Amino acid sequence: MKTRLIFFISLITLAWGYDVFYLNPPRQGALPWLIQRQGLYLSGLWAITLMSLVMVLSIRPAWLEKPLGGMDKMYQLHKWAGILGICAAGLHWLLDMSSDLLKSWVGTTGRPPKGDLTEFAAMFRSFAKDSGELIIYALLIMLVLTLWKKFPYKFWRYVHKVMPVFFLLLVFHTIVLAPASYWVQPIGILLVILFVPACIASIISLAGLIGKPRQSEGTIESIRVHDEDMTEITCKMNASWKTHHAGQFAFLTFDRHEGAHPFTISSAPGNDGRISFQIKALGDYTRHLSRKIKIGQKIKAEGPYGCFDLSHLDASSHHTMIAGGIGITPFLSWLEASQKSPDTTPSADLHYCLRNAQKDPFIERIRQLCEALPSVRLHVHQSEKGEYFNAEKLAQTLAQKDRTSIWFCGPTSLADSLKSNLKKWWHGKFSFHQEAFEMR
C-alpha cells in the first residue's frame, strides 16, 4: 500500500516538475513568491489527484481487487489516500493564506502574475475560491471524525456520504482556478484522465449504486447465539448470489439505516445458496445484533469479495494457517469445503490462538474437521494457560520445512510480530497472506 501511494504521489510530482522546470519555467518573480506559488500548485495537485483516487476506490470496483491485492488493501489505500489528500488540501490552504505574510515580509515586488483564466473561469473565480476554502474546513472536520474511533460508525457513515459532493466542488474549484495553459499540457491531460472516472464514481455514490451489481437479497434462516459475544447467522440467498471461495467475505445489510458491514463467510462454498457467518461482538452494532434481527428477516449481501482465497491452494506445497480468535472463520470455511476431498487436501498446519478451549464455540467442530483430514495438523494455543503463540513456536513447526505459505487472519499486532521475527528463528522462505479489513 505504501509503495503504491508513493508511486502515485511521485508520478503527480514528476508531472508538476516537468511542467515547471521544462515546459513552462517561471520567467520572473522573487524567490519567496515563486516558492509560494509553485507550492500552491503542487499541494493543490496532490490534494485533487489523491481525492480522485479516493473516489474511484470508494465504489469498490471488483476489477481492481487482484491488481491491488484484495478489497482490504483497497480500503487501506482508500483510507490513507484520503488522509494524505486532506493534509495536502490543508497545506494548499495554508500556502494560500501565506500571501499576506509574504506581503508584509518582502512586499509585492517580484510577485509573479497569476495565470490567465478563460472568460468562463473568470466569471466563477470568486465562488470557486470561497467554496474551496469552506470545503477544506469540512474535510478537516471529516478527517478528525474518521480518526476518532469512538465516533459512532452509523453517524460517521452519513457524514462520509457527502464526500462526493465535496469532491465535485473541488473539481470545479480546480477547473476554474487552474491556469488555462494547464489543460493543453501533460499535467492537465493527466488531471482529466483522473477526473473523468472519479466524477463518474461520485455520481454512482450519490445515486446509492455502490456495489449494486454484486448485491443479492436473502432471508435469515437461522440464528444461533453461542454466547454473549458470538452469533451464528445462516442466510438463504436468491439465485443472483455468486458462489464464494473459502476465505472470502461479504458486506451484509440488516438495517438500511446502519448500512453494510463486512463479515467473513464461515460456511463452505455450495450450490444451495446458503451462507453462514460467525459474528463476534466487537462494537455497539455487533454487540446487540442478535436482539435486533429475527428469522425470516430480509437481508442484502454484497459480494463475495477478497483475495484471501483458500479454495485453490497448491497441493504440492506446505501451508501454515494462523487464526487469532474470530479469525478462525475463513479457515472454518476451508475445513468444511475440504471434507469433500480429504485425500487431495494439501499439507497444512493450522494454529488456532484463543483464550480458553473449554469456552470456545468452535474448537470441537474444528477438531472433528481436522481429524477427517489426514494432511492437516491442528495446534491449539490457549492464552489463559500461558500458551502464547509467537515466531519461535511457529519456527518449531517449520523446522523440517524449506518453505511455506503463511495464511493469517487475526490481530494485526500478532501478524506484524510474526513477519518481523520469523526469520530470526527459521531460515526457510515464506510468503505471507493476510486480510486486515477496516471500514474506517
Side-chain angles (χ1 to χ4, degrees):
M1 186 271 293
K2 292 180 181 178
T3 303
R4 293 185 177 97
L5 267 181
I6 291 172
F7 174 79
F8 184 84
I9 294 172
S10 298
L11 178 64
I12 301 304
T13 306
L14 286 172
W16 164 83
Y18 181 69
D19 178 79
V20 171
F21 296 106
Y22 181 73
L23 292 179
N24 299 294
R27 302 187 184 279
Q28 55 181 315
L31 183 60
W33 280 111
L34 289 175
I35 293 174
Q36 187 260 3
R37 177 63 55 82
Q38 293 307 322
L40 194 66
Y41 287 159
L42 180 57
S43 59
L45 285 171
W46 283 339
I48 194 62
T49 53
L50 283 166
M51 297 311 291
S52 296
L53 177 62
V54 167
M55 292 313 306
V56 171
L57 295 174
S58 71
I59 62 172
R60 301 196 277 267
W63 59 274
L64 277 178
E65 270 206 281
K66 286 188 177 180
L68 295 180
M71 187 60 68
D72 63 317
K73 308 301 188 299
M74 288 171 61
Y75 260 83
Q76 287 181 340
L77 185 60
H78 168 87
K79 173 183 176 179
W80 286 104
I83 291 173
L84 291 176
I86 294 173
C87 290
L91 175 61
H92 180 76
W93 173 75
L94 288 174
L95 287 169
D96 188 40
M97 294 295 102
S98 69
S99 295
D100 292 337
L101 181 62
L102 280 177
K103 287 177 185 178
S104 63
W105 180 33
V106 299
T108 57
T109 303
R111 185 176 185 176
K114 295 180 179 179
D116 295 333
L117 299 179
T118 64
E119 185 176 344
F120 168 82
M123 291 172 56
F124 294 98
R125 183 181 183 278
S126 179
F127 173 74
K129 188 175 178 64
D130 292 341
S131 62
E133 184 175 344
L134 291 174
I135 290 168
I136 289 174
Y137 296 151
L139 289 177
L140 290 172
I141 293 172
M142 183 178 293
L143 176 59
V144 171
L145 294 179
T146 298
L147 298 177
W148 183 27
K149 296 297 185 180
K150 291 185 178 180
F151 188 75
Y153 171 79
K154 61 182 178 181
F155 299 129
W156 173 83
R157 188 174 71 90
Y158 284 107
V159 173
H160 199 249
K161 276 181 174 289
V162 301
M163 184 64 210
V165 177
F166 293 160
F167 173 76
L168 292 173
L169 286 172
L170 284 177
V171 171
F172 175 77
H173 172 89
T174 304
I175 292 174
V176 169
L177 297 181
S181 60
Y182 255 39
W183 307 108
V184 294
Q185 304 293 344
I187 195 167
I189 296 171
L190 178 61
L191 283 176
V192 172
I193 291 172
L194 291 171
F195 283 173
V196 171
C199 288
I200 293 173
S202 298
I203 295 170
I204 290 173
S205 179
L206 289 171
L209 300 177
I210 293 179
K212 199 72 173 181
R214 305 195 74 172
Q215 286 182 0
S216 300
E217 292 188 348
T219 304
I220 297 178
E221 277 198 340
S222 68
I223 302 170
R224 181 184 177 190
V225 179
H226 294 292
D227 54 44
E228 60 182 10
D229 290 332
M230 192 72 63
T231 302
E232 178 181 345
I233 300 172
T234 300
C235 305
K236 172 67 175 178
M237 305 305 299
N238 63 21
S240 63
W241 171 257
K242 297 179 180 179
T243 301
H244 68 282
H245 294 161
Q248 290 190 301
F249 68 90
F251 288 95
L252 288 187
T253 302
F254 298 102
D255 178 358
R256 65 183 181 87
H257 297 293
E258 178 66 29
H261 288 259
F263 299 108
T264 300
I265 304 171
S266 61
S267 55
N271 299 319
D272 61 355
R274 286 180 173 82
I275 50 176
S276 296
F277 302 88
Q278 305 290 344
I279 300 176
K280 184 177 177 61
L282 297 174
D284 290 339
Y285 177 69
T286 50
R287 187 171 295 113
H288 304 291
L289 182 62
S290 62
R291 296 192 292 272
K292 292 181 178 180
I293 59 176
K294 58 183 179 181
I295 294 174
Q297 178 179 327
K298 298 294 182 182
I299 60 104
K300 285 185 180 179
E302 179 192 332
Y305 288 113
C307 292
F308 196 82
D309 187 352
L310 301 169
S311 297
H312 302 96
L313 298 179
D314 185 356
S316 63
S317 300
H318 177 265
H319 301 273
T320 300
M321 301 175 179
I322 304 168
I326 193 60
I328 192 63
T329 49
F331 305 111
L332 188 59
S333 175
W334 176 73
L335 290 171
E336 294 273 7
S338 298
Q339 303 302 304
K340 298 177 181 178
S341 53
D343 294 335
T344 60
T345 301
S347 173
D349 284 278
L350 172 58
H351 296 269
Y352 186 18
C353 307
L354 42 73
R355 292 181 180 178
N356 189 315
Q358 293 183 341
K359 299 178 181 179
D360 188 79
F362 308 119
I363 188 64
E364 288 305 317
R365 179 58 180 158
I366 291 170
R367 282 173 173 158
Q368 292 173 5
L369 293 171
C370 289
E371 288 173 359
L373 301 171
S375 59
V376 178
R377 292 160 295 280
L378 175 64
H379 310 266
V380 179
H381 309 273
Q382 303 179 69
S383 61
E384 287 188 358
K385 294 186 177 182
E387 300 169 355
Y388 295 103
F389 186 65
N390 53 35
E392 183 179 3
K393 287 189 176 181
L394 176 55
Q396 292 173 2
T397 64
L398 298 173
Q400 305 303 318
K401 304 287 190 302
D402 294 324
R403 62 183 303 123
T404 187
S405 293
I406 298 176
W407 299 82
F408 180 94
C409 188
T412 302
S413 57
L414 177 57
D416 293 341
S417 175
L418 292 174
K419 284 187 285 187
S420 61
N421 294 311
L422 183 56
K423 290 183 179 179
K424 296 180 182 178
W425 302 100
W426 181 64
H427 301 291
K429 296 181 179 180
F430 66 91
S431 56
F432 202 97
H433 309 271
Q434 178 187 7
E435 192 157 66
F437 202 93
E438 290 186 5
M439 286 293 286
R440 55 187 286 195

